[in-house]
Amino acid sequence: MEANKVSFDILAQFPALITTDRLILRPIRWEDENDIFEYASKPEVAQFMSWSAHRTIEDTRAFLKFLEDVEGKRLQIDRGIILKEENKLIGTIAFVTVDFDLLMGELGYCLSPRYWGHGYIVEAANAMIDAGAKNLNLHRVEAQCEIDNYKSERVMQKLGMQQEGVYRKRLPVHGEFCDAKIYAKILK
């Protein structure tokens, strides 16, 4: 029980606001529902995710409720990616797990296809990784992607992560478990 309190206290120290040259990373809000629905409703965004493309705004609201629950329990750290020049949420980034015994975090991300190819995820991920090292004392950061998700794999490579292997039938993607490439970066 004491370890859970320590983890909760440490996660509470993660900065609510992180800024980069082009982005602001901040907690996701209920007011973000339209921006999230705008990209989460696109099949190409959901293609390699565990969730299906949002068909209605109610799907997005269910996602926001899920985030509210896991954030409230300090089970993960989620941030909205705000493009400064448009003051618009264009994606999300998270430490979907943090293991304090191993000082390791697993990074996950999603971005509107309208903003693919501009380096926003790499910029946001580098900021999250730096904050994780500084505020959570992370030693290692991992990320994984479905074996055919070459765009996500390229992001991991640009972050300086190295592929460590392939997990068989690891990721739930639309009701089936798919093989996943695992990448990692040692921070210290």
Side-chain angles (χ1 to χ4, degrees):
M1 187 66 155
E2 188 62 33
N4 288 339
K5 181 176 181 344
V6 170
S7 299
F8 186 89
D9 291 343
I10 293 170
L11 283 177
Q13 295 174 23
F14 195 83
L17 192 67
I18 301 170
T19 59
T20 69
D21 289 342
R22 302 179 295 169
L23 306 172
I24 298 169
L25 309 181
R26 63 145 171 85
I28 299 162
R29 305 173 185 152
W30 284 94
E31 309 85 77
D32 296 323
E33 69 180 20
N34 290 327
D35 288 343
I36 293 170
F37 180 75
E38 183 180 311
Y39 68 81
S41 62
K42 302 209 178 308
E44 64 268 32
V45 173
Q47 179 180 1
F48 297 111
M49 300 295 195
S50 60
W51 44 272
S52 297
H54 295 191
R55 289 176 292 169
T56 68
I57 196 71
E58 291 305 319
D59 293 334
T60 303
R61 290 178 182 146
F63 168 70
L64 289 167
K65 176 66 175 134
F66 166 78
L67 288 184
E68 184 177 72
D69 291 345
V70 296
E71 279 277 324
K73 295 175 186 172
R74 298 277 189 219
L75 297 175
Q76 62 186 49
I77 301 170
D78 293 277
R79 294 294 180 261
I81 302 169
I82 310 301
L83 183 59
K84 286 180 182 178
E85 72 179 40
E86 295 181 21
N87 192 31
K88 179 179 181 63
L89 186 139
I90 62 170
T92 57
I93 190 159
F95 281 118
V96 294
T97 59
V98 178
D99 185 322
F100 287 102
D101 292 327
L102 299 176
L103 298 177
M104 179 181 72
E106 180 185 348
L107 198 63
Y109 42 83
C110 184
L111 188 71
S112 169
R114 179 175 162 204
Y115 300 95
W116 290 356
H118 298 282
Y120 295 128
I121 284 293
V122 172
E123 187 174 327
N126 275 321
M128 286 288 284
I129 291 168
D130 289 347
K134 180 179 177 186
N135 297 283
L136 305 179
N137 198 31
L138 295 183
H139 158 73
R140 172 186 170 92
V141 173
E142 295 180 350
Q144 57 184 321
C145 67
E146 198 269 344
I147 201 158
D148 294 325
N149 190 345
Y150 303 110
K151 290 179 182 178
S152 185
E153 181 177 22
R154 186 68 187 124
V155 167
M156 292 182 259
Q157 292 167 347
K158 287 180 178 181
L159 291 169
M161 294 181 162
Q162 296 178 347
Q163 184 177 353
E164 295 188 337
V166 174
Y167 288 140
R168 294 178 45 228
K169 303 298 179 196
R170 167 79 171 190
L171 287 177
V173 177
H174 306 292
E176 292 185 34
F177 282 92
C178 299
D179 294 348
K181 293 180 181 178
I182 181 76
Y183 276 75
K185 181 177 185 176
I186 306 303
L187 306 178
K188 13 179 164 175

